C-alpha cells in the first residue's frame, strides 16, 4: 500500500538514514539518524530524528512514529505535521535510552506525545 503521497512502501534503511525532516511550512527541523525496528512484529517502531547540536555534540534524539512521516519529492525529505517548538518540547532520548525496554518506552512516549495512531 502506498504512502499518503503515493510513494512506494518499500525502501532500504540506508536510503532513509540521513534524510532531512521538514515541517509543513518547509522549515528543516532535523534529519533521520536511524530507524528502530520491532523484530518480533516485523515492523518499524519509530524513526530517530536528530535535532540541534553541532557535529553530533549536544544533539537531541526524538522517537517519531513512522506513520507521522510522509516523503515529499519537492523537498527530497520527510515532512511531519508539527512545528519546531513542538519538536523542541517532545520527549528526548539518548541513543542508549531509545533501545531500553526493547524500545517500548520511547515508542509509547512518542505515540502519546504526537497523538499517533
Amino acid at each position: 500500500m502506498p504512502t499518503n503521497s503515493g510513494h512506494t512502501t518499500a525502501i532500504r534503511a540506508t536510503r532513509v538514514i540521513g534524510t532531512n525532516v521538514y515541517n509543513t511550512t518547509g522549515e528543516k527541523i532535523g534529519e533521520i539518524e536511524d530507524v528502530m525496528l520491532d523484530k518480533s512484529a516485523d515492523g518499524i517502531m519509530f524513526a530517530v530524528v536528530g535535532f540541534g547540536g553541532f557535529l553530533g555534540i549536544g544533539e537531541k534524539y526524538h522517537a517519531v512514529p513512522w506513520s507521522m512521516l510522509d516523503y515529499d519529492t519537492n523537498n527530497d525529505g520527510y515532512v511531519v505535521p508539527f512545528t519546531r517548538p513542538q519538536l523542541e518540547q517532545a520527549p528526548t532520548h539518548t541513543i542508549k535510552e531509545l533501545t531500553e525496554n526493547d524500545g517500548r518506552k520511547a515508542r509509547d512516549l512518542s505515540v502519546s506525545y504526537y497523538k499517533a495512531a
Side-chain angles (χ1 to χ4, degrees):
M1 183 167 94
T3 63
N4 294 338
S5 56
H7 300 285
T8 63
T9 56
I11 187 168
R12 294 175 35 213
T14 54
R15 293 207 46 208
V16 172
I17 296 169
T19 303
N20 291 331
V21 178
Y22 301 90
N23 62 19
T24 55
T25 64
E27 175 187 18
K28 180 183 173 192
I29 58 175
E31 72 177 46
I32 297 184
E33 298 289 335
D34 215 332
V35 178
M36 299 299 286
L37 305 175
D38 184 339
K39 296 187 302 185
S40 62
D42 297 330
I44 299 172
M45 292 184 77
F46 52 84
V48 177
V49 177
F51 174 73
F54 181 71
L55 298 175
I57 299 171
E59 188 166 31
K60 298 178 182 176
Y61 299 101
H62 301 272
V64 176
W66 188 253
S67 63
M68 303 293 290
L69 291 106
D70 192 32
Y71 191 78
D72 177 27
T73 56
N74 294 326
N75 284 324
D76 194 27
Y78 289 93
V79 176
V80 291
F82 43 84
T83 64
R84 179 178 285 269
Q86 286 173 308
L87 183 63
E88 289 171 344
Q89 296 169 10
T92 60
H93 309 276
T94 64
I95 293 296
K96 182 180 177 191
E97 291 169 336
L98 289 169
T99 57
E100 286 178 350
N101 193 26
D102 289 334
R104 288 189 299 261
K105 180 179 179 183
R107 179 201 60 205
D108 293 348
L109 282 171
S110 71
V111 167
S112 175
Y113 180 81
Y114 295 111
K115 296 175 180 50

